[in-house]
């Protein structure tokens, strides 16, 4: 389950409501999201996991001489090299986001996960980059 929310001026929210997909969040997801928002201890644990995971990933990227997370380090490297990294990670079950849409064709976006997920991502990334 994935859910997000936004805070904005009422007029902007009305405009966004016109463009959202129908049935994009079901009632079970909404109930879970509200429970999470009301659970201060859960939010504190989640923040701590994200902060620790972020620090861990940043240290690991520095150790690998990766700019966070530019997978095509050589300026002349083609967009297709980054696409290859993206697709190879996807084949391993590791979902990252290619950043072409944001005019950053040599980058991928990585979500901070649990310690186990972060370690697995780095193992998969190492294997993919070593294959290039």
């Amino acid at each position: 389950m994935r859910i997000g929310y936004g805070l904005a001026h009422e007029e902007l929210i009305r405009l966004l409501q016109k463009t959202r997909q129908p049935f994009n969040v079901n009632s079970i997801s909404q109930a879970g999201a509200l429970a999470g928002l009301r659970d201060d201890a859960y939010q504190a644990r989640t923040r701590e996991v994200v902060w620790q995971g972020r620090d861990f990933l940043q240290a690991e990227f520095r150790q690998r001489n990766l700019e966070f997370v530019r997978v095509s380090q050589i300026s002349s490297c083609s967009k297709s090299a980054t696409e290859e990294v993206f697709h190879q990670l996807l084949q391993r079950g590791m979902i990252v986001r290619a950043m072409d849409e944001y005019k950053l064709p040599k980058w991928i976006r990585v979500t901070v996960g649990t310690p186990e997920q972060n370690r697995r991502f780095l193992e998969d990334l190492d294997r993919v980059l070593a294959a290039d």
Side-chain angles (χ1 to χ4, degrees), residues 38-51:
R38 293 180 179 129
D39 188 340
D40 293 336
Y42 170 77
Q43 288 187 40
R45 284 191 311 273
T46 299
R47 271 192 305 276
E48 189 61 32
V49 166
V50 170
W51 289 338

Side-chain angles (χ1 to χ4, degrees), residues 36-71:
L37 287 171
R38 293 180 179 129
D39 188 340
D40 293 336
Y42 170 77
Q43 288 187 40
R45 284 191 311 273
T46 299
R47 271 192 305 276
E48 189 61 32
V49 166
V50 170
W51 289 338
Q52 288 177 0
R54 182 198 57 208
D55 293 345
F56 170 74
L57 288 173
Q58 287 178 349
E60 292 293 321
F61 294 150
R62 274 189 213 96
Q63 189 174 12
R64 289 165 174 78
N65 293 318
L66 285 174
E67 201 173 347
F68 316 158
V69 172
R70 184 175 173 190
V71 293

Side-chain angles (χ1 to χ4, degrees), residues 4-131:
Y5 66 94
L7 303 174
H9 191 276
E10 187 176 345
E11 290 178 34
L12 179 58
I13 295 296
R14 265 193 242 113
L15 180 64
L16 290 173
Q17 284 285 47
K18 293 178 184 179
T19 62
R20 76 171 174 84
Q21 296 176 345
F23 312 113
N24 63 344
V25 180
N26 62 39
S27 60
I28 294 172
S29 298
Q30 290 176 15
L34 288 173
L37 287 171
R38 293 180 179 129
D39 188 340
D40 293 336
Y42 170 77
Q43 288 187 40
R45 284 191 311 273
T46 299
R47 271 192 305 276
E48 189 61 32
V49 166
V50 170
W51 289 338
Q52 288 177 0
R54 182 198 57 208
D55 293 345
F56 170 74
L57 288 173
Q58 287 178 349
E60 292 293 321
F61 294 150
R62 274 189 213 96
Q63 189 174 12
R64 289 165 174 78
N65 293 318
L66 285 174
E67 201 173 347
F68 316 158
V69 172
R70 184 175 173 190
V71 293
S72 298
Q73 295 293 76
I74 304 166
S75 61
S76 62
C77 189
S78 69
K79 174 182 168 182
S80 62
T82 303
E83 289 174 355
E84 185 63 25
V85 170
F86 169 80
H87 288 293
Q88 284 187 34
L89 285 170
L90 191 59
Q91 288 174 345
R92 294 173 176 275
M94 190 58 53
I95 301 172
V96 297
R97 179 156 183 164
M99 298 300 292
D100 297 353
E101 298 170 15
Y102 298 97
K103 308 245 187 287
L104 298 167
K106 297 180 180 183
W107 298 74
I108 57 172
R109 187 183 79 190
V110 177
T111 300
V112 175
T114 64
E116 297 80 22
Q117 291 166 334
N118 294 336
R119 280 191 289 279
R120 177 170 167 233
F121 163 71
L122 290 168
E123 289 169 7
D124 287 346
L125 182 65
D126 287 343
R127 287 186 186 107
V128 167
L129 293 177

